[in-house]
Short mmCIF file of all heavy atoms in Angstrom, two decimals:
data_model
loop_
_atom_site.label_atom_id
_atom_site.label_comp_id
_atom_site.label_asym_id
_atom_site.label_seq_id
_atom_site.Cartn_x
_atom_site.Cartn_y
_atom_site.Cartn_z
N GLY A 224 -42.29 241.41 153.56
CA GLY A 224 -42.69 242.51 152.75
C GLY A 224 -43.91 243.31 153.24
O GLY A 224 -44.08 244.48 152.89
N ASP A 225 -44.70 242.53 153.98
CA ASP A 225 -45.93 243.32 154.66
C ASP A 225 -45.82 243.81 155.95
O ASP A 225 -46.58 244.28 156.59
CB ASP A 225 -47.21 242.18 154.70
CG ASP A 225 -46.72 240.93 155.48
OD1 ASP A 225 -45.73 240.94 156.21
OD2 ASP A 225 -47.63 240.09 155.45
N GLY A 226 -44.37 243.95 156.37
CA GLY A 226 -44.13 244.58 157.65
C GLY A 226 -44.00 243.62 158.88
O GLY A 226 -43.66 243.97 160.00
N ARG A 227 -44.40 242.36 158.66
CA ARG A 227 -44.32 241.43 159.81
C ARG A 227 -42.76 241.10 160.05
O ARG A 227 -41.94 241.16 159.13
CB ARG A 227 -45.02 240.20 159.55
CG ARG A 227 -46.63 240.28 159.53
CD ARG A 227 -47.39 238.98 159.22
NE ARG A 227 -47.00 238.42 157.86
CZ ARG A 227 -47.20 237.25 157.52
NH1 ARG A 227 -47.68 236.29 158.32
NH2 ARG A 227 -46.85 236.79 156.25
N LEU A 228 -42.59 240.84 161.39
CA LEU A 228 -41.15 240.49 161.69
C LEU A 228 -41.25 239.06 162.34
O LEU A 228 -42.08 238.68 162.98
CB LEU A 228 -40.67 241.39 162.86
CG LEU A 228 -40.48 242.89 162.46
CD1 LEU A 228 -40.24 243.71 163.65
CD2 LEU A 228 -39.50 243.04 161.32
N GLY A 229 -40.23 238.33 162.05
CA GLY A 229 -40.08 236.94 162.68
C GLY A 229 -38.68 236.79 163.14
O GLY A 229 -37.69 237.36 162.54
N THR A 230 -38.38 236.19 164.22
CA THR A 230 -37.09 236.02 164.91
C THR A 230 -36.71 234.61 165.08
O THR A 230 -37.53 233.70 165.33
CB THR A 230 -36.92 236.72 166.14
OG1 THR A 230 -37.70 236.06 167.11
CG2 THR A 230 -37.43 238.24 166.11
N LEU A 231 -35.48 234.29 164.92
CA LEU A 231 -34.80 233.01 165.37
C LEU A 231 -33.77 233.35 166.44
O LEU A 231 -32.95 234.27 166.38
CB LEU A 231 -34.08 232.37 164.23
CG LEU A 231 -34.81 232.18 162.85
CD1 LEU A 231 -33.86 231.46 161.87
CD2 LEU A 231 -36.07 231.27 163.20
N ARG A 232 -33.91 232.58 167.59
CA ARG A 232 -32.91 232.59 168.49
C ARG A 232 -32.16 231.27 168.51
O ARG A 232 -32.68 230.26 168.72
CB ARG A 232 -33.39 232.82 169.90
CG ARG A 232 -32.36 232.92 171.03
CD ARG A 232 -32.85 233.16 172.46
NE ARG A 232 -31.91 233.33 173.41
CZ ARG A 232 -31.35 234.41 173.77
NH1 ARG A 232 -31.67 235.45 173.19
NH2 ARG A 232 -30.30 234.39 174.60
N GLY A 233 -30.83 231.32 168.28
CA GLY A 233 -29.89 230.17 168.11
C GLY A 233 -29.08 230.02 169.24
O GLY A 233 -28.29 230.88 169.66
N ASN A 234 -29.22 228.92 170.00
CA ASN A 234 -28.53 228.65 171.31
C ASN A 234 -27.36 227.79 171.22
O ASN A 234 -27.50 226.52 170.69
CB ASN A 234 -29.48 228.18 172.40
CG ASN A 234 -30.60 229.18 172.74
OD1 ASN A 234 -30.30 230.47 172.77
ND2 ASN A 234 -31.88 228.78 172.79
N ARG A 235 -26.23 228.24 171.76
CA ARG A 235 -25.01 227.22 171.93
C ARG A 235 -24.64 227.11 173.38
O ARG A 235 -23.68 226.55 173.72
CB ARG A 235 -23.84 227.91 171.19
CG ARG A 235 -23.77 227.76 169.68
CD ARG A 235 -22.72 228.39 168.98
NE ARG A 235 -22.65 229.74 169.08
CZ ARG A 235 -23.40 230.58 168.25
NH1 ARG A 235 -24.18 230.14 167.44
NH2 ARG A 235 -23.25 231.95 168.47
N GLY A 236 -25.66 227.54 174.15
CA GLY A 236 -25.65 227.25 175.60
C GLY A 236 -26.95 227.40 176.20
O GLY A 236 -27.88 228.02 175.49
N GLY A 237 -27.30 226.68 177.36
CA GLY A 237 -28.63 226.91 177.90
C GLY A 237 -29.48 225.93 177.19
O GLY A 237 -29.04 224.73 176.96
N ASN A 238 -30.68 226.25 177.08
CA ASN A 238 -31.69 225.27 176.46
C ASN A 238 -31.50 224.73 175.17
O ASN A 238 -31.19 225.46 174.19
CB ASN A 238 -33.03 226.07 176.33
CG ASN A 238 -34.25 225.23 175.85
OD1 ASN A 238 -34.18 224.04 175.71
ND2 ASN A 238 -35.40 225.88 175.50
N PRO A 239 -31.26 223.44 175.09
CA PRO A 239 -30.91 222.73 173.77
C PRO A 239 -32.11 222.39 172.89
O PRO A 239 -31.82 221.72 171.86
CB PRO A 239 -30.12 221.53 174.23
CG PRO A 239 -30.83 221.18 175.55
CD PRO A 239 -31.30 222.36 176.15
N GLY A 240 -33.22 222.75 173.40
CA GLY A 240 -34.49 222.25 172.54
C GLY A 240 -34.99 223.33 171.58
O GLY A 240 -34.53 224.33 171.40
N PHE A 241 -35.96 222.93 170.81
CA PHE A 241 -36.67 223.69 169.88
C PHE A 241 -38.05 224.10 170.42
O PHE A 241 -38.72 223.44 171.17
CB PHE A 241 -36.87 222.93 168.60
CG PHE A 241 -35.74 222.68 167.73
CD1 PHE A 241 -35.06 221.48 167.90
CD2 PHE A 241 -35.22 223.69 166.91
CE1 PHE A 241 -33.95 221.26 167.05
CE2 PHE A 241 -34.11 223.44 166.18
CZ PHE A 241 -33.44 222.24 166.13
#
Side-chain angles (χ1 to χ4, degrees):
D225 58 7
R227 290 180 299 163
L228 297 175
T230 69
L231 303 183
R232 181 182 181 88
N234 297 316
R235 284 180 292 280
N238 180 9
F241 288 97

